[in-house]
mmCIF file with all atom_site columns, all heavy atoms in Angstrom:
data_model
loop_
_atom_site.group_PDB
_atom_site.id
_atom_site.type_symbol
_atom_site.label_atom_id
_atom_site.label_alt_id
_atom_site.label_comp_id
_atom_site.label_asym_id
_atom_site.label_entity_id
_atom_site.label_seq_id
_atom_site.pdbx_PDB_ins_code
_atom_site.Cartn_x
_atom_site.Cartn_y
_atom_site.Cartn_z
_atom_site.occupancy
_atom_site.B_iso_or_equiv
_atom_site.pdbx_formal_charge
_atom_site.auth_seq_id
_atom_site.auth_comp_id
_atom_site.auth_asym_id
_atom_site.auth_atom_id
_atom_site.pdbx_PDB_model_num
ATOM 1  N N   . SER A 1 111 ? 20.764 -9.969  -35.882 1.00 0.00 ? 111 SER A N   1
ATOM 2  C CA  . SER A 1 111 ? 21.124 -9.444  -37.197 1.00 0.00 ? 111 SER A CA  1
ATOM 3  C C   . SER A 1 111 ? 21.321 -10.508 -38.147 1.00 0.00 ? 111 SER A C   1
ATOM 4  O O   . SER A 1 111 ? 20.848 -10.375 -39.332 1.00 0.00 ? 111 SER A O   1
ATOM 5  C CB  . SER A 1 111 ? 22.566 -8.718  -37.076 1.00 0.00 ? 111 SER A CB  1
ATOM 6  O OG  . SER A 1 111 ? 23.451 -9.536  -36.586 1.00 0.00 ? 111 SER A OG  1
ATOM 7  N N   . ILE A 1 112 ? 21.684 -11.742 -37.800 1.00 0.00 ? 112 ILE A N   1
ATOM 8  C CA  . ILE A 1 112 ? 21.747 -12.871 -38.671 1.00 0.00 ? 112 ILE A CA  1
ATOM 9  C C   . ILE A 1 112 ? 20.379 -13.323 -39.082 1.00 0.00 ? 112 ILE A C   1
ATOM 10 O O   . ILE A 1 112 ? 20.158 -13.508 -40.288 1.00 0.00 ? 112 ILE A O   1
ATOM 11 C CB  . ILE A 1 112 ? 22.503 -14.093 -37.970 1.00 0.00 ? 112 ILE A CB  1
ATOM 12 C CG1 . ILE A 1 112 ? 23.871 -13.686 -37.607 1.00 0.00 ? 112 ILE A CG1 1
ATOM 13 C CG2 . ILE A 1 112 ? 22.438 -15.354 -38.858 1.00 0.00 ? 112 ILE A CG2 1
ATOM 14 C CD1 . ILE A 1 112 ? 24.691 -14.760 -36.734 1.00 0.00 ? 112 ILE A CD1 1
ATOM 15 N N   . LEU A 1 113 ? 19.467 -13.301 -38.143 1.00 0.00 ? 113 LEU A N   1
ATOM 16 C CA  . LEU A 1 113 ? 18.093 -13.844 -38.517 1.00 0.00 ? 113 LEU A CA  1
ATOM 17 C C   . LEU A 1 113 ? 17.375 -12.759 -39.317 1.00 0.00 ? 113 LEU A C   1
ATOM 18 O O   . LEU A 1 113 ? 16.787 -13.210 -40.313 1.00 0.00 ? 113 LEU A O   1
ATOM 19 C CB  . LEU A 1 113 ? 17.306 -13.925 -37.175 1.00 0.00 ? 113 LEU A CB  1
ATOM 20 C CG  . LEU A 1 113 ? 15.805 -14.417 -37.365 1.00 0.00 ? 113 LEU A CG  1
ATOM 21 C CD1 . LEU A 1 113 ? 15.739 -15.837 -38.010 1.00 0.00 ? 113 LEU A CD1 1
ATOM 22 C CD2 . LEU A 1 113 ? 15.080 -14.503 -36.070 1.00 0.00 ? 113 LEU A CD2 1
ATOM 23 N N   . MET A 1 114 ? 17.618 -11.389 -39.105 1.00 0.00 ? 114 MET A N   1
ATOM 24 C CA  . MET A 1 114 ? 16.928 -10.384 -39.963 1.00 0.00 ? 114 MET A CA  1
ATOM 25 C C   . MET A 1 114 ? 17.429 -10.475 -41.301 1.00 0.00 ? 114 MET A C   1
ATOM 26 O O   . MET A 1 114 ? 16.677 -10.343 -42.216 1.00 0.00 ? 114 MET A O   1
ATOM 27 C CB  . MET A 1 114 ? 17.257 -8.974  -39.208 1.00 0.00 ? 114 MET A CB  1
ATOM 28 C CG  . MET A 1 114 ? 16.521 -8.773  -37.904 1.00 0.00 ? 114 MET A CG  1
ATOM 29 S SD  . MET A 1 114 ? 14.860 -8.679  -38.051 1.00 0.00 ? 114 MET A SD  1
ATOM 30 C CE  . MET A 1 114 ? 14.588 -6.912  -38.747 1.00 0.00 ? 114 MET A CE  1
ATOM 31 N N   . LYS A 1 115 ? 18.820 -10.724 -41.470 1.00 0.00 ? 115 LYS A N   1
ATOM 32 C CA  . LYS A 1 115 ? 19.263 -10.823 -42.853 1.00 0.00 ? 115 LYS A CA  1
ATOM 33 C C   . LYS A 1 115 ? 18.775 -12.118 -43.578 1.00 0.00 ? 115 LYS A C   1
ATOM 34 O O   . LYS A 1 115 ? 18.509 -12.108 -44.714 1.00 0.00 ? 115 LYS A O   1
ATOM 35 C CB  . LYS A 1 115 ? 20.809 -10.868 -42.893 1.00 0.00 ? 115 LYS A CB  1
ATOM 36 C CG  . LYS A 1 115 ? 21.490 -9.457  -42.399 1.00 0.00 ? 115 LYS A CG  1
ATOM 37 C CD  . LYS A 1 115 ? 22.947 -9.604  -42.405 1.00 0.00 ? 115 LYS A CD  1
ATOM 38 C CE  . LYS A 1 115 ? 23.504 -8.271  -42.064 1.00 0.00 ? 115 LYS A CE  1
ATOM 39 N NZ  . LYS A 1 115 ? 24.964 -8.303  -41.838 1.00 0.00 ? 115 LYS A NZ  1
ATOM 40 N N   . LYS A 1 116 ? 18.631 -13.096 -42.884 1.00 0.00 ? 116 LYS A N   1
ATOM 41 C CA  . LYS A 1 116 ? 18.159 -14.419 -43.541 1.00 0.00 ? 116 LYS A CA  1
ATOM 42 C C   . LYS A 1 116 ? 16.803 -14.406 -43.965 1.00 0.00 ? 116 LYS A C   1
ATOM 43 O O   . LYS A 1 116 ? 16.373 -14.879 -44.971 1.00 0.00 ? 116 LYS A O   1
ATOM 44 C CB  . LYS A 1 116 ? 18.372 -15.572 -42.542 1.00 0.00 ? 116 LYS A CB  1
ATOM 45 C CG  . LYS A 1 116 ? 19.878 -15.908 -42.325 1.00 0.00 ? 116 LYS A CG  1
ATOM 46 C CD  . LYS A 1 116 ? 20.580 -16.590 -43.412 1.00 0.00 ? 116 LYS A CD  1
ATOM 47 C CE  . LYS A 1 116 ? 21.887 -17.002 -43.246 1.00 0.00 ? 116 LYS A CE  1
ATOM 48 N NZ  . LYS A 1 116 ? 22.604 -17.509 -44.374 1.00 0.00 ? 116 LYS A NZ  1
ATOM 49 N N   . VAL A 1 117 ? 15.872 -13.919 -43.024 1.00 0.00 ? 117 VAL A N   1
ATOM 50 C CA  . VAL A 1 117 ? 14.460 -13.967 -43.255 1.00 0.00 ? 117 VAL A CA  1
ATOM 51 C C   . VAL A 1 117 ? 13.783 -12.690 -43.833 1.00 0.00 ? 117 VAL A C   1
ATOM 52 O O   . VAL A 1 117 ? 12.680 -12.665 -44.325 1.00 0.00 ? 117 VAL A O   1
ATOM 53 C CB  . VAL A 1 117 ? 13.696 -14.435 -41.999 1.00 0.00 ? 117 VAL A CB  1
ATOM 54 C CG1 . VAL A 1 117 ? 14.182 -15.798 -41.506 1.00 0.00 ? 117 VAL A CG1 1
ATOM 55 C CG2 . VAL A 1 117 ? 13.731 -13.500 -40.897 1.00 0.00 ? 117 VAL A CG2 1
ATOM 56 N N   . GLY A 1 118 ? 14.512 -11.588 -43.681 1.00 0.00 ? 118 GLY A N   1
ATOM 57 C CA  . GLY A 1 118 ? 13.912 -10.282 -44.085 1.00 0.00 ? 118 GLY A CA  1
ATOM 58 C C   . GLY A 1 118 ? 12.737 -9.845  -43.203 1.00 0.00 ? 118 GLY A C   1
ATOM 59 O O   . GLY A 1 118 ? 12.391 -10.378 -42.172 1.00 0.00 ? 118 GLY A O   1
ATOM 60 N N   . VAL A 1 119 ? 12.180 -8.768  -43.719 1.00 0.00 ? 119 VAL A N   1
ATOM 61 C CA  . VAL A 1 119 ? 11.099 -8.126  -42.876 1.00 0.00 ? 119 VAL A CA  1
ATOM 62 C C   . VAL A 1 119 ? 9.919  -9.105  -42.753 1.00 0.00 ? 119 VAL A C   1
ATOM 63 O O   . VAL A 1 119 ? 9.277  -9.269  -41.759 1.00 0.00 ? 119 VAL A O   1
ATOM 64 C CB  . VAL A 1 119 ? 10.610 -6.771  -43.581 1.00 0.00 ? 119 VAL A CB  1
ATOM 65 C CG1 . VAL A 1 119 ? 9.399  -6.249  -42.840 1.00 0.00 ? 119 VAL A CG1 1
ATOM 66 C CG2 . VAL A 1 119 ? 11.760 -5.834  -43.448 1.00 0.00 ? 119 VAL A CG2 1
ATOM 67 N N   . LYS A 1 120 ? 9.509  -9.719  -43.917 1.00 0.00 ? 120 LYS A N   1
ATOM 68 C CA  . LYS A 1 120 ? 8.400  -10.703 -43.832 1.00 0.00 ? 120 LYS A CA  1
ATOM 69 C C   . LYS A 1 120 ? 8.521  -11.817 -42.902 1.00 0.00 ? 120 LYS A C   1
ATOM 70 O O   . LYS A 1 120 ? 7.683  -12.056 -42.088 1.00 0.00 ? 120 LYS A O   1
ATOM 71 C CB  . LYS A 1 120 ? 8.077  -11.288 -45.360 1.00 0.00 ? 120 LYS A CB  1
ATOM 72 C CG  . LYS A 1 120 ? 6.893  -12.109 -45.297 1.00 0.00 ? 120 LYS A CG  1
ATOM 73 C CD  . LYS A 1 120 ? 6.713  -12.694 -46.805 1.00 0.00 ? 120 LYS A CD  1
ATOM 74 C CE  . LYS A 1 120 ? 6.056  -11.629 -47.650 1.00 0.00 ? 120 LYS A CE  1
ATOM 75 N NZ  . LYS A 1 120 ? 5.791  -12.228 -48.974 1.00 0.00 ? 120 LYS A NZ  1
ATOM 76 N N   . GLY A 1 121 ? 9.681  -12.463 -42.964 1.00 0.00 ? 121 GLY A N   1
ATOM 77 C CA  . GLY A 1 121 ? 9.907  -13.566 -42.007 1.00 0.00 ? 121 GLY A CA  1
ATOM 78 C C   . GLY A 1 121 ? 10.086 -13.094 -40.716 1.00 0.00 ? 121 GLY A C   1
ATOM 79 O O   . GLY A 1 121 ? 9.616  -13.742 -39.653 1.00 0.00 ? 121 GLY A O   1
ATOM 80 N N   . ALA A 1 122 ? 10.733 -11.980 -40.386 1.00 0.00 ? 122 ALA A N   1
ATOM 81 C CA  . ALA A 1 122 ? 10.866 -11.462 -39.056 1.00 0.00 ? 122 ALA A CA  1
ATOM 82 C C   . ALA A 1 122 ? 9.345  -10.979 -38.394 1.00 0.00 ? 122 ALA A C   1
ATOM 83 O O   . ALA A 1 122 ? 9.297  -11.092 -37.230 1.00 0.00 ? 122 ALA A O   1
ATOM 84 C CB  . ALA A 1 122 ? 11.765 -10.253 -39.097 1.00 0.00 ? 122 ALA A CB  1
ATOM 85 N N   . SER A 1 123 ? 8.533  -10.633 -39.392 1.00 0.00 ? 123 SER A N   1
ATOM 86 C CA  . SER A 1 123 ? 7.195  -10.231 -38.845 1.00 0.00 ? 123 SER A CA  1
ATOM 87 C C   . SER A 1 123 ? 6.410  -11.297 -38.150 1.00 0.00 ? 123 SER A C   1
ATOM 88 O O   . SER A 1 123 ? 5.578  -11.141 -37.335 1.00 0.00 ? 123 SER A O   1
ATOM 89 C CB  . SER A 1 123 ? 6.364  -9.685  -40.100 1.00 0.00 ? 123 SER A CB  1
ATOM 90 O OG  . SER A 1 123 ? 7.033  -8.523  -40.648 1.00 0.00 ? 123 SER A OG  1
#
Side-chain angles (χ1 to χ4, degrees):
S111 60
I112 295 173
L113 182 63
M114 292 288 285
K115 287 180 182 178
K116 289 288 184 184
V117 302
V119 173
K120 180 181 287 186
S123 297

